[in-house]
Amino acid sequence: MHHNNLHNGSYDIDLLCKHYKKLETFVFTNKYGTKTIKFSNSKAVKALNTALLVTYYNILNWEFPDENLCPPIPSRVDYIHHLEDLIGQKQKVSVLDIGTGATCIYPLLGNSVYKWSFVGTDIDDLSLEIASEIIKKNKLESFINLRLQKDKNQILKGIIKEGDFFDAVMCNPPFYKTEEEAIEANSRKQRNLKISSNERNFSGNSNELWYVGGEKAFLHNYLYESSLFKEQCTWFTSLVSKKENVKSMYKSLKKLKVKTIKTIEMSQGNKITRIVAWRFS
């Protein structure tokens, strides 16, 4: 994890429970004498991540339906810290978050840690309604604005307006091609973890988990559209879960004549992912 990440060590369960009492319901002591939660339980995972937001980021209201994807705070704030490395220390920073979702997690963390301003976008108006309530309850209306992407085939077009300027664009794209592929991946994960439950421990609905053509199709659409707004954004970035997609991204970005391309590897436990970042100027 990034050296600025507060979650490099183990969780202080007692501290988290002190700040968020609802977490206590899911805590147990394992055979090694360590207090923990059952990470296969989506409600326990949600309670844990809510406790992290309350305890470390002063996000006191984070209510969203259980079926929505619950983002893991340690890895999400890692993206924020790496983005800060790219942007550098500036007095005012504006970031565009593509696919902000019902949880609005990147704007919440980016504002809490670095006081950045955000525009968050999504194709789902209900998700934006839920995110809007979270923003209001945390009194962040002056820092976070939301925009609906009306065309599911577009990413930046229809969102970036004349006069807009963003220091960075960030994105966590859906990585499955279909619902069936997402279900099979979850079943495989459950088998590997020897968990009998059919419940996804991270939850998630259609627009959060899959996109026609999968992660690769989404990314290449994003790459092309980034070339249309190169005067209005300094850095374009995206999480990339599949390593094999990075090579094809580099090939396309070179055709688009970008000036700088970077790959930043991130790891949490055994999971390795990466950020690909590019800029035209």
Side-chain angles (χ1 to χ4, degrees), residues 80-238:
I80 293 292
H81 289 308
H82 284 293
L83 201 60
E84 198 269 344
D85 288 342
L86 291 173
I87 295 170
Q89 295 182 352
K90 294 180 65 176
Q91 190 171 7
K92 291 185 178 181
V93 170
S94 180
V95 178
L96 177 62
D97 178 29
I98 301 299
T100 201
T103 65
C104 198
I105 192 59
Y106 287 121
L108 293 176
L109 290 171
N111 180 261
S112 175
V113 179
Y114 294 113
K115 304 303 178 188
W116 293 344
S117 294
F118 279 80
V119 170
T121 79
D122 208 280
I123 61 173
D124 183 56
D125 50 3
L126 179 57
S127 290
L128 291 182
E129 286 179 20
I130 297 165
S132 180
E133 283 301 308
I134 292 173
I135 292 166
K136 289 176 183 176
K137 288 178 180 178
N138 288 286
K139 299 179 180 179
L140 294 173
E141 298 97 322
S142 59
F143 295 100
I144 305 171
N145 294 304
L146 301 175
R147 296 178 186 174
L148 176 67
Q149 173 56 272
K150 297 178 181 179
D151 188 340
K152 294 182 180 181
N153 296 314
Q154 296 180 349
I155 297 172
L156 301 175
K157 290 191 288 184
I159 290 296
I160 298 179
K161 302 176 182 178
E162 186 176 351
D164 279 344
F165 177 81
F166 297 101
D167 295 282
V169 183
M170 64 189 310
C171 180
N172 184 11
F175 41 85
Y176 299 115
K177 295 179 182 179
T178 63
E179 180 179 8
E180 290 74 21
E181 187 180 31
I183 291 171
E184 171 54 31
N186 181 69
S187 298
R188 188 164 55 250
K189 179 180 178 181
Q190 299 285 17
R191 289 194 297 270
N192 291 339
L193 293 174
K194 298 181 180 179
I195 296 169
S196 59
S197 171
N198 290 321
E199 181 183 23
R200 284 192 298 264
N201 68 320
F202 47 83
S203 300
N205 60 28
S206 59
N207 58 291
E208 294 170 327
L209 295 175
W210 57 90
Y211 178 87
V212 176
E215 181 182 68
K216 184 175 182 178
F218 183 97
L219 288 170
H220 283 273
N221 190 10
Y222 178 23
L223 299 185
Y224 165 69
E225 289 194 20
S226 72
S227 69
L228 306 178
F229 298 97
K230 55 189 175 183
E231 302 298 329
Q232 292 178 264
C233 306
T234 302
W235 283 102
F236 297 90
T237 73
S238 181

Side-chain angles (χ1 to χ4, degrees), residues 17-29:
C17 288
K18 179 181 177 182
H19 287 274
Y20 189 67
K21 296 292 185 182
K22 292 181 181 179
L23 178 61
E24 292 178 348
T25 305
F26 304 100
V27 174
F28 69 97
T29 302

